[in-house]
Amino acid sequence: MSDIAQETIDRLIGAVGPKGAITALEDMQPYLVEWREKWRGRSPLVLRPETTDQVSEIVRICAETGTRIVPQGGNTGLVGGSIPFETGDEIVLSLGRMNRIRAVDPLNDTMTVEAGCVLADIQQAAEEAGRLFPMRIASEGTCQIGGNLSTNAGGTAVLRYGNMRDLVLGLEVVLPDGRIWNGLRGLRKDNTGYDLKHLFVGAEGTLGVITAAVLKLYPMPAEREVAFIGLPDPESAVELLALSKQASGGQVTGFEIMPRLGMDLVLQLLPEARDPFAESHPWYVLMELSSGGGGGALRNAMESALEQGFEKGLVADATIAASVAQADDFWALREGLSEAQKLGGGSIKHDVSIPVPDMPAFIRRADQALQAVIPGFRSMAFGHIGDGNVHYNPLQPEGGDKDAFLGEWQAVADVVHGIVADMGGSISAEHGLGRLKRDEIRRYKSDVEMELMSRIKRALDPANIMNPDKAITP
Ligand code: FAD
């Protein structure tokens, strides 16, 4: 039984034609369930428009009838933002059929793409034009650029190229009243008032539907050097990062950290993987340098950074990949870690950021404070330390009760997020708020900030039809 009037459903189906509408319960399932099955919703209708005009018509009908809309990209988000609630009074607007690359302009270093383009296809199209689109995330084979923009996605090359907000020059958006805002400008300079595109980047679908974007392209690196490095502690990693940026003239593209426990779990997960070192180290860093130059300068920069690291006692051991295959093997160790955590039992996940130099102190403080809450828990902090963003995901005590451990989720999050706030950090560095942190964020942002966000939401979406009750309650 639908909670949306049949007449409205018929009008919405009419806007896209039968090919663009799904009403059978079993066909709708992939759109109503989050990929880990953490969230499950209900809806009478999934719409899959093919053009911006169709999106505009859908939103216009929804505005007229007060029908709520949940925009959805690849549905790989980790905070429940793309799944409708269980109320059954929301439609899902899936952008997957809007997957055309409208233009590639190598001289302007831009490409114009529709929101439903899969990230990996955009990377491929850029490469075919001899350019780099540098956003790199493990979900790139499924997530869509509209979702990347709406979550201001990060990933493993933020250190060099920035996050999604830094990679977009223009947007096309269908506003909550159905009007189309064409802001598809490929300009690097445009100081003509408020920069409206930034309202929609990271808005998690609460202010409108992104239908297309102008993205920035970069020169394709001619050289790439990847090293795997053993270190005594996170402090050494932070110092090595600063030193490597200097030694390479700012060409550090990736700088990822993992503890020994992470290495043990990944080696268990990937039977073909090998520990790059004969000896065990407490911490590891994967460092990637890349440049357009060629001629071996980058190898010299990597060697110089590592030599200086050895001399200062920051580096215990290091190996530079001798081939592309070995570089990929190093990355596989890092990228396998999200999955490998499961082998350690329950883990309580946090996606936090702290100013880079303070990250080691944060890890120590959080580890110490959590021992009082869950004695014997195992520390697991890994990820993008080069951006000041680690996934701080404590693991259950060895042999302990998984459910009892996970039952402490909020108590653990309160401790961790309290320390993050105290150190001037953020409780959601990459993944957004969605359903997961919608209420919790109120404790960590000032009243002024929350009120400004509510005012913006009310100004753009007074009827509250765009992804209501996700990220923010106006
Ligand atoms: P969805 O999950 O479909 O939607 C996300 C949000 O955006 C929802 O609120 C939705 O309503 C809204 N939305 C989607 N499309 C539109 C649109 N066109 N207009 C308006 N609103 C829209 N994230 C990172 O930042 N960095 C990582 O390193 C990273 N690694 C990941 C690794 C794995 C294995 C997985 C599964 C996820 C990872 N993620 C990461 C999270 C996720 O992939 C990103 O948040 C991604 O940007 C979501 O894109 P999507 O197309 O799947 O969006």
Side-chain angles (χ1 to χ4, degrees), residues 35 70-78 81-82 95 115 137-139 143-144 146-148 150-151 153-155 204-205 208-210 384 430-431 467:
W35 61 281
V70 180
Q72 191 177 94
N75 199 12
T76 67
L78 295 164
S82 55
L95 279 298
I137 57 180
S139 54
C143 64
Q144 298 171 9
N148 301 146
S150 300
T151 55
E204 301 184 50
V209 184
I210 296 174
H384 324 302
E430 284 198 311
H431 302 153
N467 217 3

Side-chain angles (χ1 to χ4, degrees), residues 265 340-347 349 378 395-396 402 405-406:
L265 293 172
Q341 277 175 109
K342 290 185 193 148
L343 300 174
S347 61
K349 299 181 175 58
R378 289 168 297 160
L395 279 176
Q396 67 172 78
K402 180 175 172 183
F405 176 73
L406 294 179

